[in-house]
Amino acid sequence: MKGSLVILAFFILGLFFGYFHFLPTEVADSSVSFAALCALIFCVGVSIGCDSEVLHTLRHTSPRLLLLPLCTLGGTLAGCLAVSLLLPQCRITDSMAIGSGFGYYSLSSIFITEYRGAALGTVALLANIVRELLTLLASPLLARWFGPLAPISVGGATSMDTTLPIITRYSGKDLATLSVFHGFCMDFSVPFLVTFFCEL
């Protein structure tokens, strides 16, 4: 929770700096955002590559559980479709692109800003932060009402990093590796799905 609040605080600080033009215009250039994006993806790859236990534990996981990322993807996109039908002013592709962030706000919001503008990028950022906060705050209730896999699915891409401790606590340590695998699959799908829906 503290990490999410820190990120939200930096976002608000960035809005403040941008609005009052406290930084050189070169900082707001898209090439800087792209460089930051590449650095983030590199760090995700390093963190997965350093964990030698992930592949070993996945070999002993039930094959049915490995379908959880597909269930998360399908459920999220179905929810986004329903929201776009309830909000006629929201384009279906915009709603799908925002949902395809799966909680990975730093990545999806950059892509959406590049393709659809800063306004929709800001909505994507806030929507993904809310998803992470919901996982951090509601995991005890999600696990109790819907089962131990629910917090992992709700966590989306964050289930491999920021929400992993809370997921492990309420879903059980035996699902920690599944949570990392789930988060990796969601992370991997974000750039492809977000750009796909943005280009429609």
Side-chain angles (χ1 to χ4, degrees):
M1 171 103 177
K2 182 181 176 183
S4 299
L5 293 176
V6 169
I7 289 166
L8 184 59
F10 271 96
F11 170 69
I12 294 169
L13 188 64
L15 289 176
F16 180 79
F17 272 56
Y19 183 79
F20 291 104
H21 305 288
F22 286 156
L23 297 173
T25 54
E26 291 79 12
V27 175
D29 185 49
S30 60
S31 61
V32 175
S33 298
F34 181 74
L37 172 63
C38 291
L40 283 170
I41 294 174
F42 175 76
C43 290
V44 169
V46 169
S47 66
I48 293 169
C50 288
D51 193 346
S52 59
E53 292 296 313
V54 172
L55 291 177
H56 173 73
T57 311
L58 281 175
R59 289 192 192 102
H60 303 286
T61 302
S62 169
R64 288 196 310 168
L65 290 178
L66 298 181
L67 296 175
L68 183 61
L70 289 177
C71 296
T72 299
L73 191 150
T76 299
L77 295 183
C80 292
L81 178 62
V83 168
S84 66
L85 296 176
L86 293 173
L87 302 172
Q89 69 274 20
C90 178
R91 292 172 56 186
I92 293 176
T93 53
D94 287 348
S95 179
M96 293 292 205
I98 291 170
S100 296
F102 300 114
Y104 198 168
Y105 40 78
S106 55
L107 182 65
S108 62
S109 58
I110 290 174
F111 276 124
I112 292 173
T113 299
E114 292 288 328
Y115 280 92
R116 295 289 175 86
L120 198 66
T122 303
V123 173
L125 177 69
L126 294 175
N128 286 299
I129 288 176
V130 167
R131 183 170 186 156
E132 181 179 336
L133 287 173
L134 181 65
T135 308
L136 292 170
L137 297 174
S139 280
L141 296 177
L142 291 169
R144 185 185 309 161
W145 293 344
F146 304 107
L149 298 179
I152 299 174
S153 188
V154 173
T158 69
S159 66
M160 67 179 290
D161 42 55
T162 54
T163 61
L164 182 59
I166 199 82
I167 288 172
T168 303
R169 180 175 178 182
Y170 292 103
S171 295
K173 292 182 179 179
D174 54 322
L175 292 178
T177 303
L178 175 64
S179 184
V180 172
F181 169 76
H182 174 268
F184 168 73
C185 292
M186 295 292 97
D187 267 352
F188 187 75
S189 69
V190 169
F192 300 104
L193 289 174
V194 171
T195 53
F196 172 74
F197 287 117
C198 283
E199 287 176 346
L200 289 180

